[in-house]
Amino acid sequence: MRHLLGIDGWRREEIETLLDRAEAHLPGGSASTPVLQGKVVANLFFEDSTRTRTSFEMAAKTLGAQVLNWTAQGSSVSKGETLLDTVRNIEATGPVALVIRHRSSGAPHLVARHVRCAVINAGDGTHEHPSQALLDAFTLRRHWGPLDGRTVLIVGDILHSRVARSNILCLRALGARVVVCGPPTLLPVGLKELGAEVTTKLDAALPHADAVMCLRLQLERQTESFFPSTREFARLFGLTAARAEKMKPDALVMHPGPINRGVELAPAVADGARSVILEQVANGVAVRRAILEVCS
C-alpha cells in the first residue's frame, strides 16, 4: 500500500493486517525500530484539527521522522495559490508522506495523482476519515476480540460525517452490524447500500447496541437548518445519563471528538465508566504509526 485514501475497497484481511501491525506499535510493543529515521512527514491541514494532527505528529516523531506542520492560515493559500501548487512545492522539499486534511471531498485523491510520495487522507470533506475508522475498530477489537456479530450504533449528524462513512465500511468489513440513527434530515441516501441499517428511534435502538458512537453536530458544514434547535436535537438524539441506563451493562461509548458536551453527549456519559473516548485517542498513535510505516 502506498497511499491511504479511504476504507472503500479494503478487504477484511487487509484491515486486520494493519490492525495487527498497530498492536506491535502500542507502548512496549515489538515495533520500536525508528523506521522513518532521517525522513520527513508533512502534515498539511487545510482544516482545523487537534487529535488527528497531534496523533500523526506523535506517530511520525516516535518512528524517528521529522515533522513539517503546515496550516492554511498564514500560507500562500490566502494569495490564491492552488491546492496542487501548494502540495507540489511542499513535496519538492522532500517529505516521504503528505498527511492531508481538506474541506473538499476527494482532495487527497487529486493530490495522489500528482505527487510521487505517499498521500494519507486525514479527512476530506464529508467523504472519508480512514485513520479514524481504523483506530475505532482497533479500540473495539481490543475490548471484544473479533467484531463478528457485534452491533455498533452510530448516532448524530451522519449527513456531514466522514467518520460515519469510513466506520460503516470498516466495521462491516470486519463482520459487525452497523445501525445509524439521527434526524431524517441528517441521514443521507445510500446508507443501506453501504451495509448500514437506518433508524430515527434512538431509545429503541440503544438496548441492542454493544457500542454507541456519538458524532459531533457539525454546524460549520450546515448551510441550512436541518432541525429546529440544538436543544431539540439533544432532547431526541443526545446520549444522556438516563438514556445510557438503557444500554447493555457492558456496552461502550465512543466519540471521535471534539465533543459538544450537553448536545450529542452528556458530560457524565463522556467521562463515565462506559466511555473509551480517551482510549480512542491513545490508540490513534499506534494505528497511525502502523499507517506511516506501511505507506512510507
Side-chain angles (χ1 to χ4, degrees), residues 175-247:
R177 173 183 176 232
V178 180
V179 182
V180 297
C181 179
T185 51
L186 292 178
L187 294 172
V189 296
L191 291 170
K192 292 181 180 177
E193 286 72 14
L194 293 176
E197 300 172 38
V198 180
T199 182
T200 58
K201 301 185 184 305
L202 177 58
D203 290 315
L206 277 175
H208 306 288
D210 296 296
V212 179
M213 183 184 298
C214 298
L215 299 179
R216 183 173 66 88
L217 199 55
Q218 300 191 39
L219 297 174
E220 77 277 14
R221 298 188 195 279
Q222 298 181 16
T223 56
E224 56 186 294
S225 179
F226 289 89
F227 43 84
S229 66
T230 54
R231 183 177 179 181
E232 182 76 359
F233 177 90
R235 187 177 71 81
L236 294 174
F237 297 100
L239 186 56
T240 62
R243 281 205 171 100
E245 292 295 320
K246 299 178 181 178
M247 296 169 60

Side-chain angles (χ1 to χ4, degrees), residues 3-204:
H3 305 303
L4 174 59
L5 302 177
I7 299 297
D8 194 13
W10 276 45
R11 299 189 306 274
R12 175 173 184 153
E13 55 267 29
E14 292 173 315
I15 296 172
E16 290 181 334
T17 298
L18 192 287
L19 300 186
D20 289 343
R21 191 58 193 158
E23 289 282 350
H25 281 287
L26 287 169
S30 59
S32 58
T33 305
V35 295
L36 298 184
Q37 187 72 47
K39 299 180 179 178
V40 176
V41 172
N43 285 338
L44 309 183
F45 279 69
F46 293 80
E47 283 188 320
D48 295 339
S49 171
T50 298
R51 278 152 293 275
T52 304
R53 186 172 60 188
T54 302
S55 185
F56 268 114
E57 181 175 358
M58 288 288 294
K61 285 182 173 178
T62 55
L63 288 174
Q66 297 183 57
V67 178
L68 169 66
N69 282 315
W70 178 95
T71 60
Q73 186 176 16
S75 76
S76 291
V77 170
S78 64
K79 302 175 184 175
E81 187 173 62
T82 67
L83 169 63
L84 289 182
D85 279 342
T86 297
V87 297
R88 281 168 167 161
N89 276 274
I90 292 177
E91 187 201 18
T93 66
V96 293
L98 303 177
V99 180
I100 298 179
R101 170 169 288 189
H102 201 281
R103 68 175 60 85
S104 297
S105 298
H109 298 69
L110 174 65
V111 171
R113 294 195 294 270
H114 291 85
V115 298
R116 295 178 298 278
C117 63
V119 175
I120 298 170
N121 181 1
D124 61 325
T126 59
H127 179 226
E128 280 223 42
H129 194 342
S131 65
Q132 180 68 46
L134 290 167
L135 75 88
D136 290 340
F138 183 75
T139 300
L140 292 173
R141 199 178 76 157
R142 288 187 59 76
H143 276 268
W144 298 339
L147 273 56
D148 299 274
R150 296 285 190 170
T151 297
V152 179
L153 176 62
I154 304 177
V155 184
D157 184 355
I158 311 297
L159 179 65
H160 301 97
S161 177
R162 53 201 175 205
V163 172
R165 178 180 172 83
S166 287
N167 260 295
I168 292 170
L169 293 167
C170 187
L171 295 170
R172 289 290 296 139
L174 293 173
R177 173 183 176 232
V178 180
V179 182
V180 297
C181 179
T185 51
L186 292 178
L187 294 172
V189 296
L191 291 170
K192 292 181 180 177
E193 286 72 14
L194 293 176
E197 300 172 38
V198 180
T199 182
T200 58
K201 301 185 184 305
L202 177 58
D203 290 315

